Amino acid sequence: MDIATRLAGVVKDCPDFPKKGIIFKDIMPIFQDPDLVKDTCLSLNEKILEIGKPDAIVGIEARGFLIGPIMAQLLKIPFVAIRKKGKLPRECHSVKYEKEYGFDEFDIQTDALAQGSKVVIVDDLLATGGTLEAAKKLCDKCEANVMSHCVMFELEFLGGRARLADTPVITLVKY
Amino acid sequence: MINLKDYIKDVPDYPKKGILFRDISPLLGDGKALKYVVQKLAEKAKDADIIVGPDARGFLFGTPVAVELEKPFIMVRKPGKLPGELVSFKYDLEYGSNELQIQKGVIKPGQKIVIVDDLLATGGTTRAIVDLIENQGAEVIKVLFLIELEDLKGREKYHNINTESLIKY
């Protein structure tokens, strides 16, 4: 069975969560199967390497933290965290953004990424694209080059990819 | 031999005056150090049926350890993040207070659980996770941390369940 079928098979639809009208994709069951987690990370990395080897994986809090460090370890490169405002110590770049449901603000440490470094941004899912767009803006502030956005799932019907303009988007399952 | 403290940056007066924050970013940014940590934690967690880790820094270490051991990873999260039927517990932090939740039925009675988190401070977070797990009829056989702030005596908060940490301050 291919990775997309395996992933789609375990994800649970939760209607009206976190609020009415939204069908939440519950990805937690994926992490109950360690082979599936590993194979997912390997598949994503394979697609990343088709574009080129990055210098770092940038993972978005919190669900990007579930796969980002594993992917970074497998590629033998650093993992850098993008966190909600106020969670990272020392000097940070910040960006405000609109999510699928609500507004938020993200930080990255100013010394996290070297100028000119090539990075891949990792999160669990692409919905409206607001989160990934904000993450790219933070990487831009660090003067790093975003090679691609990398997610397990894409909700195509929300048109998020258009918001991400020229940056390639790697995804395993499309809805 | 890796000296893990070399990969932790001390940040005084963060998030507020009087608190010395241990920044793990340099460790996450170093492949050898992170691999060493994951392997050491995995060795100590090998008797677990399930690895449990809290939102968000617990995810950083919990999932790699679970994959290394080929065991399931179950998340404990802040309110509003997990769908479905949930069990909740409110607790005090080193700075503030919070509530944690777990999905009902993902942990089965009698299962052996190892909790993995980045740092043990006052033990409030761990106490909440232990409670959520014991509420499901499962047993916490060990609690593992990258960092332990020994002076805060966090272990006492969750009735001294077998605890190990890789870095002690």
Side-chain angles (χ1 to χ4, degrees):
Chain A
M1 219 192 290
D2 69 32
I3 191 75
T5 311
R6 288 164 72 193
L7 282 171
V10 300
V11 167
K12 285 197 199 114
D13 276 357
C14 302
D16 299 322
F17 183 88
K19 55 185 205 201
K20 220 162 164 48
I22 293 179
I23 300 177
F24 187 84
K25 299 282 183 196
D26 184 4
I27 63 159
M28 315 313 156
I30 296 170
F31 296 89
Q32 291 170 36
D33 181 349
D35 286 335
L36 181 54
V37 177
K38 187 162 189 181
D39 289 345
T40 298
C41 294
L42 287 168
S43 296
L44 289 170
N45 281 351
E46 206 179 306
K47 290 177 187 284
I48 286 171
L49 291 173
E50 280 168 18
I51 298 175
K53 185 159 183 195
D55 297 311
I57 296 285
V58 176
I60 304 177
E61 175 177 3
R63 293 193 293 251
F65 289 5
L66 293 167
I67 52 172
I70 299 172
M71 291 168 66
Q73 282 259 265
L74 289 168
L75 290 171
K76 299 191 194 329
I77 57 177
F79 175 80
V80 170
I82 282 181
R83 296 212 66 182
K84 303 280 167 69
K85 184 144 194 70
K87 302 284 190 74
L88 283 168
R90 306 188 290 114
E91 215 188 321
C92 292
H93 294 302
S94 289
V95 72
K96 260 198 181 80
Y97 72 103
E98 191 180 354
K99 291 172 65 168
E100 184 184 1
Y101 35 92
F103 286 88
D104 219 326
E105 204 164 342
F106 275 141
D107 285 345
I108 195 170
Q109 288 175 320
T110 55
D111 64 357
L113 300 172
Q115 187 185 36
S117 59
K118 296 175 291 181
V119 304
V120 170
I121 296 172
V122 169
D123 205 358
D124 63 322
L125 182 148
L126 164 57
T128 58
T131 303
L132 291 172
E133 189 188 26
K136 178 164 185 303
K137 284 186 182 156
L138 284 175
C139 293
D140 289 345
K141 288 190 184 197
C142 295
E143 294 180 69
N145 301 312
V146 177
M147 296 171 78
S148 65
H149 293 288
C150 194
V151 293
M152 293 187 282
F153 304 93
E154 182 179 352
L155 307 183
E156 284 193 301
F157 55 91
L158 290 174
R161 201 178 271 246
R163 202 155 167 181
L164 303 173
D166 314 315
T167 311
V169 176
I170 293 167
T171 183
L172 296 177
V173 182
K174 294 183 183 184
Y175 290 102
Chain B
M1 191 63 201
I2 289 186
N3 183 5
L4 290 174
K5 284 188 179 179
D6 291 344
Y7 298 91
I8 309 296
K9 206 160 194 149
D10 290 345
V11 186
D13 299 322
Y14 183 87
K16 54 187 204 200
K17 220 166 163 47
I19 293 180
L20 179 61
F21 191 89
R22 311 288 179 176
D23 184 2
I24 64 169
S25 310
L27 188 135
L28 295 171
D30 188 287
K32 275 207 185 77
L34 184 56
K35 183 172 185 166
Y36 178 82
V37 165
V38 170
Q39 280 177 344
K40 282 279 166 232
L41 291 174
E43 270 168 43
K44 293 172 189 297
K46 62 179 165 52
D47 295 327
D49 293 321
I50 292 181
I51 305 295
V52 171
D55 196 339
R57 292 194 295 250
F59 292 359
L60 298 169
F61 301 99
T63 49
V65 167
V67 167
E68 179 80 15
L69 291 171
E70 295 180 354
K71 299 285 180 202
F73 176 75
I74 301 295
M75 275 153 252
V76 163
R77 296 211 67 180
K78 296 180 186 150
K81 305 286 186 174
L82 288 170
E85 224 185 321
L86 306 170
V87 184
S88 288
F89 189 86
K90 226 183 175 117
Y91 67 106
D92 293 327
L93 286 174
E94 186 184 2
Y95 37 92
S97 72
N98 218 329
E99 186 177 344
L100 285 177
Q101 298 179 325
I102 198 167
Q103 286 177 315
K104 211 170 192 175
V106 292
I107 291 177
K108 307 280 183 279
Q111 284 185 312
K112 299 203 198 77
I113 313 297
V114 171
I115 297 170
V116 174
D117 201 358
D118 69 319
L119 186 141
L120 173 60
T122 58
T125 303
T126 311
R127 160 103 196 279
I129 303 170
V130 166
D131 191 272
L132 289 173
I133 291 167
E134 290 179 348
N135 182 285
Q136 308 290 296
E139 184 195 354
V140 179
I141 59 168
K142 207 179 256 192
V143 187
L144 295 177
F145 299 96
L146 169 67
I147 297 171
E148 182 175 0
L149 307 182
E150 290 189 298
D151 288 348
L152 295 175
K153 297 191 166 68
R155 297 181 185 216
E156 291 171 12
K157 203 71 165 261
Y158 51 93
H159 51 90
N160 281 298
I161 293 172
N162 187 7
T163 299
E164 292 186 54
S165 49
L166 301 183
I167 305 172
K168 292 174 169 53
Y169 290 103

